[in-house]
Amino acid sequence: MAEDFDLIWQGLRATRWDSPAAAAADKARRRTYVAALEQAEQLLRAAGSVGPASPLLLFYGLSQAGRAIAAAAKDLKGPDWLLDGHGINVTPGILKSADLAGITTVTDAPDRKGSFARLSELLGSPLWPKDVHDPMRLELVWDCLPECRDLPLGDDPQARRTALQIEPQGTTAWAVTRSYRRRCGRCRTG
């Protein structure tokens, strides 16, 4: 698995000297692309070595990867490739309560320059709903993390949607997993 990531980063590093067309055509975009890609690799490798103990490394690694994507995006013209801010905000006032599970987040509007909204638009991924009746609560995101399966934030265990965890037992499970990954296209090398 680590070898796969090394090969992926090796290929991405090669694009720093031979940047995608949109980044190569503009000095500022090229500088941003090269620097953001390098910082993304450094931060994501560091995050991988310390694990979930430091989510900030992962967050900022992903943020830098997003900046590299925006700088290389041919669909973003003029200054539209510049990202400004995170693009995700906590509902005002909620942090004053002790209810961690109840913390809700909202995204910037699609026409804003915040990283999350701009990249969601660029990648064709829907934004979280802004409807106050269907907010994105921290406990929903929390329950998506396999490491948090036994650490609920909310009070209602029946309402939890936890991540499916498959623990391979022996070589048969590993072979099935590899076969599935090859068929579904998630891993080119199998």
Side-chain angles (χ1 to χ4, degrees):
M1 183 67 107
E3 302 85 28
D4 293 342
F5 290 122
D6 288 338
L7 287 173
I8 291 168
W9 280 115
Q10 181 180 358
L12 287 170
R13 273 193 308 274
T15 67
R16 291 193 338 227
W17 65 269
D18 186 18
S19 302
D26 180 300
K27 280 185 178 182
R29 283 178 86 147
R30 186 176 192 295
R31 274 194 308 273
T32 297
Y33 177 78
V34 169
L37 193 59
E38 181 177 1
Q39 289 175 11
E41 179 180 6
Q42 292 169 355
L43 289 163
L44 292 173
R45 284 187 183 275
S49 67
V50 297
S54 180
L56 284 177
L57 291 171
L58 180 59
F59 175 82
Y60 283 107
L62 290 172
S63 177
Q64 290 301 315
R67 291 185 188 287
I69 290 169
K74 65 181 179 183
D75 294 341
L76 299 178
K77 308 293 185 215
D80 287 347
W81 66 273
L82 293 166
L83 302 180
D84 183 25
H86 298 135
I88 300 173
N89 300 293
V90 176
T91 305
I94 193 72
L95 291 178
K96 293 178 182 174
S97 79
D99 179 24
L100 266 179
I103 293 175
T104 58
T105 57
V106 294
T107 62
D108 284 349
D111 58 343
R112 302 281 308 274
K113 288 189 166 198
S115 294
F116 189 82
R118 180 60 56 89
L119 289 169
S120 292
E121 179 182 23
L122 182 63
L123 298 172
S125 177
L127 289 173
W128 297 333
K130 293 190 79 133
D131 182 1
V132 294
H133 301 293
D134 190 21
M136 178 60 71
R137 293 169 42 94
L138 179 60
E139 74 179 319
L140 296 176
V141 178
W142 182 269
D143 286 343
C144 291
L145 301 172
E147 296 86 4
C148 299
R149 183 181 74 235
D150 298 324
L151 303 167
L153 279 184
D155 295 330
D156 184 8
Q158 300 298 325
R160 293 188 75 202
R161 294 181 183 162
T162 57
L164 175 64
Q165 182 171 351
I166 299 172
E167 296 181 15
Q169 297 180 5
T171 57
T172 305
W174 173 246
V176 169
T177 302
R178 286 185 63 191
S179 172
Y180 168 74
R181 289 175 68 193
R182 238 184 272 127
R183 282 195 322 267
C184 75
R186 292 190 183 260
C187 180
R188 290 188 181 133
T189 61

